Amino acid sequence: MSQDQKYLHDLQADPMGTAEAAAAIIRERSGVNHQVALVMGSGWIDAVSAFTAGGAGEELSEIPLISLPGFPPPKVEGHGASVKSIRIGDKNALVFLGRTHIYEGLGIAAVVHGVRTAIKAGAKIIILTNACGGINSEYTVGQPVLIKDHISLTGISPLTGANFVDLTDLYSARLRKLVKSIDPSLAEGVYAHWRGPAYETPAEIRMMRTIGADLVGMSTVPEAIAAHALGAEVLGISLVTNAAAGISGAKLDHHEVLAAGKASAARMGPLLRDVIGTF
Ligand code: 8IG
């Protein structure tokens, strides 16, 4: 069995045991318990520097994900994702610099392994960030939007068995209220989850608008469900980095999308830092 197949085999055979094994290494390397975890989506990485800027926090450890059980090898040699433990105020935050998506084809257990590991490492609050397309025409590029609910269009759940989890308060109303006490200007929206990797057609976006979606992206939803099923509270924040297909007439280009995210990330760092301070 190749290295690539082995980690997936381990993960699929025992997802929670693999998460516990990864969490044990994180606890040992960081020397702390974590109260909160963040998954940094594309374009959000630059926000992380705000957590430690000006002595606001301290980086305790950085572990390459490849060295933890159940995480995939880096897609580009030397550019693997990592997980940092950062002390922010009086909290220890576990910060994932990267995530796995359904469209990568590694299976749903790999997609939610990070949040399961975070919860095993102590996190009771999971903050999921992403970059996404804006369907609601009131949104502008660069705008952060709190996820208030989702529509899963993938038909894929991270849960198996007769596990009938209630999702009526999946995106915690309590946490959204806390965030809006810091920034009352923040909008809230419904996030549609699209498998990708191709973006939607204009007709698919019209359908999503009709069924009540404001945002569309290829992440977050499986992680939110997995975290909620394990009893963690979930906060989801989307950064609108492009108008969804057919909304503005412009074509969608991944590099333009990333550039738009980068420009806004600086603003997101202090918001996340202040939010963690209120938990
Ligand atoms: I960034 O327009 C980003 N991610 N599905 N559609 C989908 N995912 C996205 C989009 C988008 N923009």
Side-chain angles (χ1 to χ4, degrees):
M1 202 184 285
S2 75
Q3 196 54 33
D4 223 69
Q5 290 166 323
K6 178 164 178 353
Y7 91 84
L8 278 177
H9 179 268
D10 291 351
L11 184 58
Q12 270 144 23
D14 183 8
M16 294 317 299
T18 309
E20 177 55 50
I25 296 171
I26 291 170
R27 273 196 300 270
E28 195 206 298
R29 288 280 301 277
S30 66
V32 298
N33 188 48
H34 298 83
Q35 294 80 36
V36 54
L38 297 97
V39 178
M40 308 310 288
S42 34
W44 284 77
I45 305 295
D46 288 3
V48 175
S49 55
F51 301 161
T52 50
E58 185 195 349
E59 189 174 310
L60 306 172
S61 63
E62 176 168 14
I63 308 175
L65 291 182
I66 179 71
S67 67
L68 295 172
F71 286 92
K75 278 153 262 166
V76 187
E77 211 55 53
H79 293 274
S82 67
V83 60
K84 291 185 177 198
S85 290
I86 304 178
R87 183 148 191 90
I88 305 173
D90 63 350
K91 305 288 187 324
N92 297 314
L94 190 62
V95 184
F96 288 87
L97 310 182
R99 61 150 55 93
T100 299
H101 306 82
I102 290 176
Y103 61 72
E104 292 171 57
L106 301 173
I108 192 67
V111 174
V112 299
H113 185 48
V115 296
R116 285 177 171 161
T117 296
I119 292 165
K120 291 289 183 187
K124 302 271 188 286
I125 293 177
I126 306 287
I127 303 179
L128 302 170
T129 68
N130 65 55
C132 74
I135 297 174
N136 187 323
S137 49
E138 285 177 15
Y139 296 160
T140 54
V141 166
Q143 180 178 349
V145 177
L146 297 178
I147 300 176
K148 69 174 174 194
D149 204 346
H150 79 225
I151 298 172
S152 172
L153 295 173
T154 68
I156 299 171
S157 173
L159 310 179
T160 50
N163 198 354
F164 307 117
V165 175
D166 175 89
L167 299 182
T168 47
D169 188 31
L170 176 53
Y171 300 92
S172 163
R174 185 185 81 89
L175 294 182
R176 280 183 280 133
K177 203 167 149 199
L178 272 181
V179 178
K180 285 196 287 187
S181 72
I182 295 169
D183 185 347
S185 75
L186 282 169
E188 295 194 348
V190 174
Y191 179 95
H193 186 208
W194 186 248
R195 182 194 184 277
Y199 293 121
E200 302 72 28
T201 64
E204 285 159 348
I205 292 299
R206 285 194 299 276
M207 173 194 75
M208 289 182 195
R209 185 204 284 265
T210 301
I211 63 176
D214 300 298
L215 308 157
V216 57
M218 304 177 198
S219 69
T220 303
V221 163
E223 293 149 292
I225 294 171
H228 187 78
L230 292 175
E233 240 183 322
V234 175
L235 174 67
I237 314 181
S238 287
L239 193 61
V240 177
T241 55
N242 59 277
I247 297 280
S248 76
K251 281 206 177 189
L252 272 56
D253 177 273
H254 183 59
H255 295 286
E256 284 174 31
V257 161
L258 288 185
K262 226 173 153 52
S264 305
R267 228 182 100 206
M268 299 298 101
L271 174 70
L272 291 175
R273 183 196 60 210
D274 295 347
V275 164
I276 290 165
T278 66
F279 290 159

